[in-house]
């Protein structure tokens, strides 16, 4: 099976793989406007924190193209682009990569003459796209080094963190693929990731296509396989990481971390540096997206609950840093993650940026 690509830029159009139909139906959305991209993000046609960031960057290019067609200049142009960025920020409030990418594009808008703006935005979006690809490779290498003295590893992962969630080989799944490449991986347990089954529909599809040995689990089976001694480590992605290491990720991650701690199993988070939000001290400040109740009330287009039953449907939960063994980034591995170690990490990167 040919590897699937989350998005690509084609002649003033952002082409997005519609992930809502996977694995049974492969189709693509051709986004011609910023609104098209925002809708795709809201509906989870485009998902995964890094991929959302890249998609948002290209969406700002589409906004600039539309503004040019509308012959907007001066304050009218700036206001139009500001509203486009605001709309994109509202599409998924938890994933910080989205906000980071939009800030990068806004910096371009601030410093670029109007007549060069579209080209400058496209150049920055393409650079963010390429940076994500390289970042995934570095995360994979850094993560695999954590297991360099281990063979026949059995790992457990949650949600989807592969090529479908990024524009490279993935974050947590990138580490898994690297270990498979090094012939050190025996098995990967894949949580279904309810209620939208990103693990079953997406991660299982990617691992099967790559020839990685894997077994699909319902989310509530994870504790039992840990109890049986079949899990050497848990590795997941992240949508936002606070300054103290508290990490927001797909709902169900916190429960896995608690289970891993009880069974004395290392718990790893793999994410790019852009996932850190240094403006918040702890995970208590992270906004958790609440999604449509029908995602829980319905399954496979059939009612699975009373139509009027009240539903609590958070898309994410927050794992306290105390439960995280290490955070794997493209720059380094932070172990243990806490306010002090992450502050040192941030300062070292700021120092490198000043001198490069």
């Amino acid at each position: 099976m040919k590897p699937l690509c989350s998005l690509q830029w084609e002649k003033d159009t952002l082409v997005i793989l519609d992930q809502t139909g996977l694995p049974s139906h492969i189709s693509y959305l051709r986004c011609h406007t910023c609104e098209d991209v925002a809708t795709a993000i809201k509906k989870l046609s485009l998902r995964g924190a890094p991929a959302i960031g890249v998609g948002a960057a290209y969406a700002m290019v589409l906004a600039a193209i539309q503004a040019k067609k509308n012959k907007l200049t001066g304050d009218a142009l700036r206001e139009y682009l500001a509203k486009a960025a605001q709309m994109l920020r509202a599409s998924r409030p938890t994933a910080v990569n989205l906000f980071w990418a939009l800030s990068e594009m806004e910096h371009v808008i601030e410093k670029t003459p109007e007549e060069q703006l579209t080209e400058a935005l496209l150049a920055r979006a393409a650079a963010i796209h390429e940076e994500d690809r390289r970042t995934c490779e570095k995360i994979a290498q850094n993560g695999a080094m954590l297991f360099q003295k281990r063979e026949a590893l059995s790992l457990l992962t949650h949600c989807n963190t592969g090529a479908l969630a990024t524009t490279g080989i993935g974050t947590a799944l990138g580490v898994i693929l690297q270990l498979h490449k090094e012939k050190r991986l025996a098995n990967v347990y894949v949580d279904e990731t309810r209620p939208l089954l990103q693990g079953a529909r997406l991660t299982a599809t990617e691992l099967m296509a790559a020839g990685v040995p894997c077994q699909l689990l319902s989310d509530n089976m994870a504790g039992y396989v840990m109890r049986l001694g079949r899990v050497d480590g848990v590795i997941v992605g992240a949508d936002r990481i606070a300054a103290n290491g508290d990490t927001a990720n797909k709902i169900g991650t916190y429960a896995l971390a608690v289970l891993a701690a009880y069974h004395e199993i290392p718990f790893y988070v793999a994410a790019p540096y852009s996932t850190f939000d240094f403006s918040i001290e702890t995970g208590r400040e992270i906004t958790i997206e609440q999604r449509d109740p029908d995602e829980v009330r319905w399954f496979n287009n059939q009612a699975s609950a009373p139509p009027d039953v009240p539903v609590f449907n958070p898309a994410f939960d927050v794992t306290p840093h105390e439960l995280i063994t290490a955070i794997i980034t493209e720059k380094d591995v932070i172990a243990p993650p806490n306010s002090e170690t992450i502050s040192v990490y941030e300062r070292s990167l700021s120092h490198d940026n000043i001198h490069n």
Side-chain angles (χ1 to χ4, degrees), residues 146-313:
L146 286 173
F147 301 96
Q148 59 184 346
K149 296 181 180 180
R150 301 290 300 276
E151 303 290 338
L153 286 159
S154 180
L155 302 178
L156 187 148
T157 193
H158 189 68
C159 197
N160 174 257
T161 57
L164 294 173
T166 66
T167 57
I169 63 172
T171 54
L173 211 60
V175 176
I176 288 171
L177 292 173
Q178 181 64 29
L179 289 168
H180 174 66
K181 182 179 178 181
E182 296 175 7
K183 302 186 185 303
R184 294 196 283 126
L185 191 65
N187 185 51
V188 180
Y189 287 108
V190 180
D191 278 352
E192 279 184 313
T193 317
R194 296 183 176 183
L196 297 181
L197 306 183
Q198 294 96 329
R201 295 188 301 105
L202 308 178
T203 298
T205 297
E206 289 195 72
L207 291 177
M208 293 287 286
V212 178
C214 61
Q215 288 181 288
L216 183 63
L217 297 175
S218 176
D219 293 5
N220 56 3
M221 299 174 186
Y224 184 55
V225 294
M226 292 181 187
R227 175 68 173 170
L228 294 175
R230 296 182 181 180
V231 178
D232 297 313
V234 179
I235 183 165
V236 300
D239 286 81
R240 189 182 293 250
I241 304 174
N244 72 338
D246 292 351
T247 297
N249 192 49
K250 182 56 59 182
I251 189 72
T253 302
Y254 170 62
L256 280 181
V258 172
L259 287 167
Y262 178 81
H263 292 95
E264 299 183 341
I265 296 169
F267 185 93
Y268 301 106
V269 170
Y273 175 68
S274 58
T275 307
F276 281 90
D277 183 353
F278 296 110
S279 71
I280 58 174
E281 294 183 4
T282 75
R284 294 183 183 276
E285 300 173 66
I286 296 175
T287 299
I288 300 297
E289 176 187 0
Q290 298 291 327
R291 293 190 58 82
D292 187 344
D294 280 343
E295 292 179 348
V296 178
R297 294 184 187 125
W298 288 73
F299 180 79
N300 198 26
N301 296 319
Q302 293 187 355
S304 57
D308 56 350
V309 63
V311 172
F312 179 58
N313 187 23

Side-chain angles (χ1 to χ4, degrees), residues 42-105:
K42 286 181 181 178
K43 292 184 176 180
L44 302 185
S45 296
L46 177 64
R47 47 148 300 280
I52 288 173
V54 175
Y58 282 121
M60 291 303 296
V61 180
L62 293 174
I65 291 172
Q66 188 62 48
K68 190 174 183 179
K69 289 180 180 178
N70 295 342
K71 298 181 180 180
L72 298 179
T73 59
D75 290 342
L77 171 63
R78 305 289 167 167
E79 182 179 355
Y80 182 86
L81 294 176
K83 287 183 177 179
Q86 183 179 7
M87 176 180 58
L88 288 162
R89 283 190 172 93
S91 63
R92 295 299 300 274
T94 302
V96 75
N97 305 67
L98 168 67
F99 294 77
W100 173 84
L102 289 171
S103 294
E104 291 293 303
M105 302 304 278

Side-chain angles (χ1 to χ4, degrees), residues 5 12 19 118 129 168 205-206 213 223 235 246 317-318 341 353:
C5 176
D12 295 348
Q19 297 189 32
T118 302
H129 194 167
T205 297
E206 289 195 72
I235 183 165
D246 292 351
D317 56 27
V318 177
T341 57
N353 290 334

